[in-house]
Amino acid sequence: AIAGVPVAFAFALLAGGGPSAWRASLMAILALVLRARLRRPSPTALAAAAALIFAGMRPNEATRPAFLLSITATAAIVSVRLPTSPLAAAVALSWRTTVATAPLVIWCFLSLPPLAVAANVLLVPVGSLLLVPLAFAHALLEGVGCGGLTAPLFIAVSDGLLACAQHLSLGSALPPPSIAQGLLLALGATLLLA
């Protein structure tokens, strides 16, 4: 477990060092350290601790939409027991993260894509099972001067995934919510998730 700590740290750097990458990396580091101490980590406690650590390390980034959306989606995921069927679990995760983040998406971007759940259910498996391994293979081959072997496939898959995501993320513009409306949206999302 301790040998995995530098790998988890490197993940955040390899993924571009964005708030969601640091949140995931910090959660993994905390989980690995607790495992090394023969303790069973609680996913909810790990998410909360990662959020607090990140906010302490980078307080100016802790209020950015990227971090707020990441921690809100993570809270929606770690606070539920998932169905055993992979498709049902994918739909449940997508639905929960969409509902949980909807108030923030509306507040920050003045839009809410109606096909967000479908986009997540369709595109996350493609990204996870196809694009990520392909990106690693392409990076390895590029490092030894053979990137031309995988470049066309990598470009086609990433462009296709991006085009689908952009098409499914279209939403109509909404007026800026008032503070009261924002609170009502958050309360409604919380009640739906409960």
Side-chain angles (χ1 to χ4, degrees):
I2 291 299
V5 169
V7 175
F9 182 79
F11 163 78
L13 299 176
L14 268 171
S20 60
W22 278 112
R23 190 254 332 130
S25 180
L26 288 169
M27 284 182 70
I29 289 168
L30 292 169
L32 290 166
V33 168
L34 288 170
R35 283 283 185 193
R37 298 194 64 200
L38 302 177
R39 298 189 59 183
R40 186 175 181 168
S42 156
T44 308
L46 287 175
L52 290 172
I53 291 169
F54 181 83
M57 288 172 26
R58 296 186 176 176
N60 59 333
E61 291 188 40
T63 57
R64 286 183 44 209
F67 178 70
L68 295 174
L69 289 167
S70 174
I71 201 64
T72 302
T74 301
I77 291 168
V78 300
S79 63
V80 69
R81 186 177 185 141
L82 292 174
T84 54
S85 155
L87 181 59
V91 171
L93 285 176
S94 182
W95 179 84
R96 286 186 64 80
T97 55
T98 300
V99 169
T101 58
L104 283 170
V105 170
I106 292 169
W107 188 270
C108 296
F109 305 109
L110 304 178
S111 178
L112 185 63
L115 297 175
V117 173
N120 283 339
V121 171
L122 295 172
L123 301 179
V124 168
V126 173
S128 301
L129 300 175
L130 185 61
L131 187 61
V132 172
L134 185 57
F136 279 114
H138 178 65
L140 287 172
L141 288 172
E142 184 66 34
V144 294
C146 297
L149 296 173
T150 53
L153 181 60
F154 177 66
I155 291 168
V157 170
S158 59
D159 285 352
L161 192 64
L162 183 60
C164 288
Q166 287 174 336
H167 182 69
L168 292 172
S169 69
L170 297 175
S172 20
L174 299 170
S178 67
I179 291 176
Q181 290 169 330
L183 290 173
L184 285 174
L185 283 170
L187 178 62
T190 303
L191 291 175
L192 278 172
L193 293 172

